[in-house]
Amino acid sequence: MRVILDGMGGDHAPAEIVKGAVEAAAEMNHEIYIVGKEDAIRGELNKYQYNEEQIKVVHAGEVITNEDSPVKAIKRKKDSSIVKGLTMLKEGQGDLFVSAGNTGAQVVGGRMILGRINGIDRPALASVYPSLAGGKAGLLVDAGASAESKPHNLLEYGTMGSIYMEKVLGRENPKVGLVNLGVEEGKGTSVTKEAYRQLSQAPINFIGNVEARELPTGVCDVIVCDGFVGNVILKLTEGLAWNILKLIKKKFLDGVKAKIGAIFLKSKLGELKEEFDYSEYGGAPILGVDGAMIKMHGSSNAKAVKNTILKGIPYAENNVVAVIKTAIADLEEIIAGEE
Amino acid sequence: MRVILDGMGGDHAPAEIVKGAVEAAAEMNHEIYIVGKEDAIRGELNKYQYNEEQIKVVHAGEVITNEDSPVKAIKRKKDSSIVKGLTMLKEGQGDLFVSAGNTGAQVVGGRMILGRINGIDRPALASVYPSLAGGKAGLLVDAGASAESKPHNLLEYGTMGSIYMEKVLGRENPKVGLVNLGVEEGKGTSVTKEAYRQLSQAPINFIGNVEARELPTGVCDVIVCDGFVGNVILKLTEGLAWNILKLIKKKFLDGVKAKIGAIFLKSKLGELKEEFDYSEYGGAPILGVDGAMIKMHGSSNAKAVKNTILKGIPYAENNVVAVIKTAIADLEEIIAGEE
């Protein structure tokens, strides 16, 4: 397998990206092509011992920033690391594309350069959603690639998410749940009602509606919702976790006078923070495009880069895109009944 | 003012409802009519010292439970406390209706018995949303009365929420924010884009889009979203807060051997729980119906009942429904441009 890594994307590029690549390479036999400004990347690479046969640099003179408009950037910055990397994937010069760059540009780039899988009109971002109650983390699809969804989009999110969870993250017979106003069938909007019908008929383990209250306990393996709701779920979780931790820190440390007590509490706070540490889980695949591509958080450090690469390998290795293609073709009959 | 209190609604009715009424009565001069099964309510009332001129019982022989279908219950259970209480409000035998009963039945009852304010096609549930970072709590509209919204519904939610925040909760020039995928204008769905345009033209203090991440810090006084998203925000907040507190309890108390340390930590955990205590804030008005009605949480205890009554008085006293009527009529021109 050959991993194509965007060397210029993210808040800590290229330093942490390159460091993560070196660390990942040490734990596997696959090759990594780091795409970006050659001088800058080689400058970072030279800080480490690495196998020159395993890590290679592909020069790309332009960078797409977070301020760039996605469509314009993909059309105009032809020599950017994202456009170049995705073109390499398209042309078979690599098997998996990984980037911490502009999310919108990655989604648009995937759609325009790789193309959509036949039958998919809206690719989705699938993000790992942590579980707090000792349950297993879930996969949230769509985490914000599209703002609006038709019922069959939600069916496709559930199907693609189920395949990814099983083939890439190794979860057996993943439970798929639809985010809704209540657990009973017949709840929700006209879109969620019809999506419920379609998901019920799909060859996946659909467990029905789930309420947002149950998400933090890992109620299902694949959490299906439109990208607007998915964005709200991810961002609210982030905002709440961050502010609750801040509040705890303030409340608990304020009353502690003995140094030993403060040290004890600080170590416990550190453990709490780890529960919310997304870097453990790897990145977020963009499902529905014709190629294996994984988006990392913009703030990814070397550990996140390393984990994303290592955990993403089965995406390419198990030919998951081909599995999704076949599964989506099989859904035609269910979708045909869409009201 | 005469408060009409549903004596039979909620998990702790009638005991906690009656207790809360007695406590509220002791702090104000307004009358309270408790509607419900007379024997049961008098049985509770007899446990307390109270002014018989101030607290009166109105018999209603039926009860709408949480299992009842809202529309059927309102149509068939004519002698229920909700139908009877709302009818009293409609007929001017009271000024404010308060209930901890079946939310759906309250929304449907408000629409069918009180009627909608001219120009409002979707009444909204407005729920107080706590702030964790020392900011002020916000008002979330719609918290789940309708699953779907058109742009002008969101305009109306923002306008009604702003009036309620100012006239009832005393917040000066309330900041109104629209929940969206990003802060920039032009983000989101076709509905949120058009709602942004309409809210910008309304005579309110519209601050633009807000992201879900910022909600826990009290970024705005009125949080506008459709009922599906509002439901997700409220339930996810509840689920996360509950599970994070559980996790903290486990992590922190596990390592504490000294009794004094455990007592200290437990008192701090108690303080944390208070941050999430909705009973401090009073209930959730159902805005857009032609009468002042406030829904309490189903698990309301006496303290919540007391707070809801005391904090709800200005809703009737300041004739807020009439203020909303005038404001909604003034929005016609903005709505006419809806695309």
Side-chain angles (χ1 to χ4, degrees), chain A residues 287-304:
Chain A
L287 299 172
V289 294
D290 197 357
M293 63 184 293
I294 299 181
K295 178 201 104 73
M296 289 183 285
H297 201 283
S299 66
S300 292
N301 56 15
K303 181 181 161 200

Side-chain angles (χ1 to χ4, degrees), chain B residues 100 293 331:
Chain B
M293 64 184 291
L331 298 178

Side-chain angles (χ1 to χ4, degrees), chain A residues 181 211 235 238 248 251, chain B residues 181 211 213 235 248 268:
Chain A
L181 295 178
E211 288 193 86
K235 288 189 177 158
E238 199 181 312
I248 293 169
K251 276 213 188 296
Chain B
L181 295 178
E211 289 193 85
R213 186 191 287 120
K235 288 190 178 158
I248 293 169
K268 290 290 174 185

Side-chain angles (χ1 to χ4, degrees), chain A residues 43-110:
Chain A
E44 293 298 328
L45 265 178
N46 289 339
K47 296 179 183 167
Y48 309 98
Q49 293 279 355
Y50 69 97
N51 176 352
E52 288 184 26
E53 293 297 305
Q54 195 186 12
I55 301 185
K56 290 166 186 165
V57 180
V58 177
H59 180 68
E62 286 177 293
V63 176
I64 294 177
T65 69
N66 278 335
E67 284 64 48
D68 278 323
S69 141
V71 176
K72 273 189 202 162
I74 294 298
K75 283 189 178 161
R76 294 186 190 164
K77 291 190 168 175
K78 294 292 180 202
D79 195 35
S80 62
S81 51
I82 290 179
V83 172
K84 200 147 186 176
L86 286 172
T87 306
M88 286 173 66
L89 183 66
K90 172 79 177 173
E91 294 175 351
Q93 295 164 45
D95 306 288
L96 175 70
F97 176 77
V98 173
S99 171
N102 185 318
T103 302
Q106 288 190 61
V107 173
V108 170

